[in-house]
Amino acid sequence: MHHHSDPLDPGRIPAAVAVIGMGCRLPGAHGPGQLWDLLESGRDATRAAPLDRFPPGTLPPAGGRRGGFVDGADAFDAGFFGIPDHEAAMMDPQQRLLLLTAWEALEDAGRDPRRLSGSRTAVFVGQSHADHWERLRAARGGALDLDCLVGGQQRAMLAGRLSFHLGLHGASVTVDCAQASSLAAVHLACLSLRAGESELALAGGANLLFDTAATRVFDEAGVLSGEGHCRFGDAGADGFVRSDGVGVVVLKTLDRAVADGDRIRAVILGSAMSHDGAAEKRITDPSTTGQTLAMRWAYQDAGTVPGDVGYVEAHGTGTRIDAVELSALTEVLAEGRPPGRPCLVGSVKSNIGHCEAAAGVAGLIKAVLCLEHGQVPPSLHHDNPSPLVDWDRLPLVVPTSPQPLPAAPDRPAIAAVNGQGMSGTNVHMVLAQWSLRAVQPRRDGPESSPGGPVTPPPHRWRLRPYPPATAAPDRHQV
């Protein structure tokens, strides 16, 4: 059997995609600025589950008593989006927070979200759980109506809500690749932009914990951490910590972003998806073969030598799959790497827990921040390297203190994000630092502004500014 690992068209020139805006609601961090503060200071934002998070009388199992939780996940200003109160009451909080986070991401991109109405803007978002639907079923005793179905059971509504309330005419797709969902959504958004199918894209994912059923299954399977920390690559790793998370990035082809005078936060050079196929005995078993295929295809797509990568934001859960991921990264990133140039590798899950369907976009936002700041923050809880990994053979180093972002001489720094899901899907994404330079202002069109980015909308339409950063309850000494 032939393993197809060659690019589909070796002669084509891939179109780079610019990240021009970001928004996030993550444990301990409302917005990218607060996320960077959290990462740079080496804080762990996981904590005991709030008493009012789960249905009355429901207690999470031992492995779920600690997690990453977003405060105010149930709060929503329905009137802001013109949604009737009775309809909003049935809406999954994942839909609500995605609307708010996407609006903030567009504001970060200097866009008035109202002025996108009628545009060919695409939406690709990831979702894998629907805890709200289970709450509705229990609360209403089976007396369900169409608002309940639309609000909680139909996953397609996560993307559909965003397209509807912003009046967008581009593709609108909810992606479910389990834990790889949001990174897969970003990959698909890039393909849509490259194909000319869309002129702007919103991509990301949402994951909110409101029920304990899935937590109980994960705990019984032995994949949740008893001590409540994600210890990526550590000998003491005993599982992952479940968490909330919502993240959105605003994307546009690089040439158009430069022509429009957008602030470019980072550049996505290329990406790829793969499946493990039948490489392992069980569908949930990770495969080095499947992961290395996604990685090699991504570097081929990006036109980048793997040896130039200075940092990888790993899937990094703190479970046995870390060893498989690190083995795949070693196999690929060692190619063309000069002696003495290691690659840093870390995981945002050590700070915020595993936000599952939103994990990939959380890692992507972290990678963009690393490129912007030229620094890699510590990966927490890495005290004793795992004996399951041959660290002497690896070109990989897990940073336990802030480190300068490695880069090849006279070249922009290169980073990568790796994602995988229990369904066997793998995603790998290659990013580059954008060097600051003067760009032409917007030339024409409904969003043109001779003075630069558009003027923010009136305050009644603008969301509140990000609240000031606050210290998380736990702190890891680095």
Side-chain angles (χ1 to χ4, degrees), residues 7 25 442:
R25 303 283 185 103
R442 302 180 194 280

Side-chain angles (χ1 to χ4, degrees), residues 223 282 284-286 317-325 388:
V223 298
R282 300 174 58 191
T284 55
D285 290 339
T317 59
T319 65
R320 62 185 177 84
I321 70 174
D322 289 353
V324 177
E325 180 179 20
L388 300 177

Side-chain angles (χ1 to χ4, degrees), residues 425-449:
T425 296
N426 307 291
V427 188
H428 198 74
M429 193 160 288
V430 186
L431 300 91
Q433 199 171 44
W434 176 248
S435 57
L436 296 176
R437 62 184 183 183
V439 295
Q440 295 297 318
R442 302 180 194 280
R443 294 175 294 184
D444 50 33
E447 295 182 28
S448 299
S449 174

Side-chain angles (χ1 to χ4, degrees), residues 99-182:
L99 281 169
L100 295 171
T101 305
W103 190 284
E104 291 167 348
L106 287 165
E107 288 179 343
D108 183 65
R111 300 303 174 111
D112 179 346
R114 295 169 299 161
R115 299 177 71 177
L116 290 178
S117 181
S119 68
R120 199 170 180 179
T121 298
V123 174
F124 293 88
V125 290
Q127 176 187 346
S128 60
H129 291 285
D131 289 1
H132 181 65
W133 172 243
E134 300 304 323
R135 289 201 307 177
L136 282 177
R137 292 177 63 188
R140 295 175 68 94
L144 302 171
D145 56 19
L146 186 60
D147 281 344
C148 296
L149 195 74
V150 169
Q153 195 267 349
Q154 295 287 305
R155 286 172 172 78
M157 293 300 168
L158 187 71
R161 283 278 187 192
L162 188 49
S163 297
F164 175 76
H165 290 292
L166 294 182
L168 312 178
H169 289 305
S172 186
V173 181
T174 301
V175 180
D176 186 356
C177 299
Q179 295 81 4
S181 296
S182 59

Side-chain angles (χ1 to χ4, degrees), residues 42-46 66 228-229 350-351 380-381 472-476:
R43 298 201 306 271
D44 184 339
T46 60
R66 187 180 175 86
H229 299 294
S350 68
N351 301 91
L380 308 186
H381 315 302
D474 287 351
R475 189 178 184 87
H476 182 77

